[in-house]
Amino acid sequence: MAQVKNNYQFEDMLQKHNLKKTAPRLRVLSMMYSKNTATSQPDLESVMNDIDRVTLYRILNVFEEKGIIHKVFDLNGTANYAVCHSDCQENHHHDEHLHFNCTACKNVYCLNELNIPKLTLPAGFEPQAFTIYASGLCPKCSKKGTAKTN
Amino acid sequence: MAQVKNNYQFEDMLQKHNLKKTAPRLRVLSMMYSKNTATSQPDLESVMNDIDRVTLYRILNVFEEKGIIHKVFDLNGTANYAVCHSDCQENHHHDEHLHFNCTACKNVYCLNELNIPKLTLPAGFEPQAFTIYASGLCPKCSKKGTAKTN
DNA sequence: ATACAAATGCAACATTATTGTATTTAGAAA
DNA sequence: TTTCTAAATACAATAATGTTGCATTTGTAT
């Protein structure tokens, strides 16, 4: 489920990160916290179409720097943005979770719960971060496909 | 090491996929087979700067459709292209390997050898493909960083 | 209430990708 | 070899995405 927060909490978040409480920022926050999937850049732009495109880019950038959201590219290379779970810090993201890209509805899910197995790389490679992408059908779409009715 | 092939083999590859043997296609093939890393779209364009940009896009697209190369987005969302290993077929890629993106030299390595552990997703998710990204230092760059001299 | 830094809005521009069409070319057929 | 045709390339135009600089507005500390 989506993380439910009210406007006061969003204002607190901004204050905590030394960001001014502005209407565009609050709207972006509340939009992203109302969903349990990442939002694509095109979607964000069309939903927030009265906010200047450049402003939106800048809001997303500061939010990412501050560890409020993280950026993830879907299988088409399109930027998607999702709220970070609690333990992200400024300039140090803990987004080593699995990103699931549904091939039907195109939604990107962040599966935080999943623990990523440790991988051993060939000699010489010094990995610092991992991200796993899976594609296929999400619960909603797989249900549709196999359901007797509909 | 890079897979070494000569021009005759490239011509065979094209013929096998019912593609005409043209100079631009052969040049793209030989360029990509000469490297052991993926090539970014910007790099491709600057190296192949006398081939029309649109032609390059179309060549990359058919090669991908035919299973000759695969596209991988690096951590910045930039498209990178790499030759597929043997068992890729038309419209059915087997690129479930690990992509290693070096944070220093920006190169993307396809680590085919590595076997990907099976992951269990939350109920309802029906994964069809996995890709793992790792970022960090590649052998060349990690050596540079720790070397006494240089 | 004022002042100032920060944020927004706007204009211009850069890069990456797509579509349509005329021209050229590879390869098959005569 | 020459001719023919579908395929491939080149070129022009446009769309989508992302960036930079600067003037204006706004949040907030004083």
Side-chain angles (χ1 to χ4, degrees):
Chain A
M1 267 297 125
Q3 304 177 49
V4 179
K5 286 202 193 299
N6 64 34
N7 216 51
Y8 292 111
Q9 293 175 290
F10 295 139
E11 293 187 0
D12 280 352
M13 291 182 60
L14 292 178
Q15 193 158 44
K16 231 173 278 175
H17 291 101
N18 296 311
L19 298 173
K20 288 187 179 172
K21 303 165 197 161
T22 66
R25 284 174 176 172
L26 288 169
R27 283 181 50 207
V28 170
L29 276 183
S30 96
M31 192 273 202
M32 295 187 64
Y33 269 90
S34 71
K35 305 180 57 179
N36 57 355
T37 59
T39 312
S40 72
Q41 165 64 30
D43 278 3
L44 265 172
E45 247 188 66
S46 66
V47 172
M48 304 282 161
N49 57 12
D50 51 338
I51 300 178
D52 186 79
R53 240 160 45 80
V54 178
T55 300
L56 188 52
Y57 276 108
R58 293 203 255 235
I59 288 176
L60 295 172
N61 283 339
V62 279
F63 281 7
E64 200 187 1
E65 280 167 22
K66 300 290 188 176
I68 299 173
I69 62 174
H70 68 272
K71 189 199 269 197
V72 46
F73 296 98
D74 67 19
L75 300 170
N76 301 313
T78 304
N80 281 249
Y81 297 89
V83 296
C84 286
H85 65 292
S86 48
D87 59 357
C88 278
Q89 289 143 24
E90 197 152 336
N91 288 316
H92 189 249
H93 288 266
H94 293 261
D95 57 350
E96 304 203 353
H97 48 267
L98 190 143
H99 290 119
F100 190 95
N101 200 168
C102 181
T103 51
C105 65
K106 311 297 177 197
N107 276 333
V108 175
Y109 297 81
C110 298
L111 303 181
N112 295 300
E113 323 68 53
L114 232 71
N115 60 330
I116 305 298
K118 272 286 150 272
L119 288 167
T120 320
L121 298 198
F125 286 97
E126 292 181 6
Q128 284 150 5
F130 289 95
T131 323
I132 305 195
Y133 285 85
S135 61
L137 294 176
C138 74
K140 245 189 280 182
C141 294
S142 67
K143 200 178 285 176
K144 270 183 213 158
T146 56
K148 305 277 195 310
T149 52
N150 183 19
Chain B
M1 268 297 124
Q3 304 177 49
V4 180
K5 287 202 193 299
N6 64 35
N7 216 51
Y8 292 110
Q9 293 175 289
F10 295 139
E11 293 188 358
D12 281 351
M13 292 182 61
L14 292 178
Q15 193 158 45
K16 232 174 278 175
H17 290 101
N18 296 312
L19 297 173
K20 288 187 179 174
K21 302 164 197 161
T22 66
R25 285 174 175 171
L26 288 169
R27 282 181 51 206
V28 170
L29 276 182
S30 98
M31 192 274 203
M32 295 187 64
Y33 269 92
S34 72
K35 305 180 56 180
N36 57 354
T37 59
T39 312
S40 73
Q41 166 63 30
D43 279 1
L44 264 173
E45 246 188 69
S46 65
V47 172
M48 303 283 162
N49 56 12
D50 51 338
I51 300 178
D52 186 79
R53 244 161 46 79
V54 178
T55 300
L56 187 52
Y57 276 110
R58 294 204 251 238
I59 288 176
L60 294 171
N61 283 338
V62 281
F63 282 8
E64 200 186 2
E65 280 167 21
K66 300 289 187 175
I68 299 172
I69 63 173
H70 69 271
K71 189 199 267 197
V72 46
F73 295 97
D74 66 20
L75 300 168
N76 300 314
T78 304
N80 280 249
Y81 297 90
V83 296
C84 286
H85 66 291
S86 48
D87 58 357
C88 278
Q89 289 144 24
E90 198 152 334
N91 289 316
H92 189 248
H93 287 266
H94 293 260
D95 56 350
E96 302 203 353
H97 48 266
L98 190 143
H99 289 120
F100 189 95
N101 201 168
C102 181
T103 51
C105 66
K106 310 297 177 197
N107 277 333
V108 176
Y109 297 80
C110 298
L111 303 181
N112 295 300
E113 324 68 52
L114 233 71
N115 60 330
I116 305 297
K118 272 285 150 273
L119 288 167
T120 319
L121 298 198
F125 286 96
E126 293 180 4
Q128 284 150 5
F130 288 95
T131 322
I132 305 194
Y133 285 85
S135 61
L137 293 176
C138 73
K140 246 189 279 181
C141 294
S142 67
K143 201 177 285 177
K144 269 183 215 157
T146 55
K148 305 276 194 312
T149 53
N150 183 18

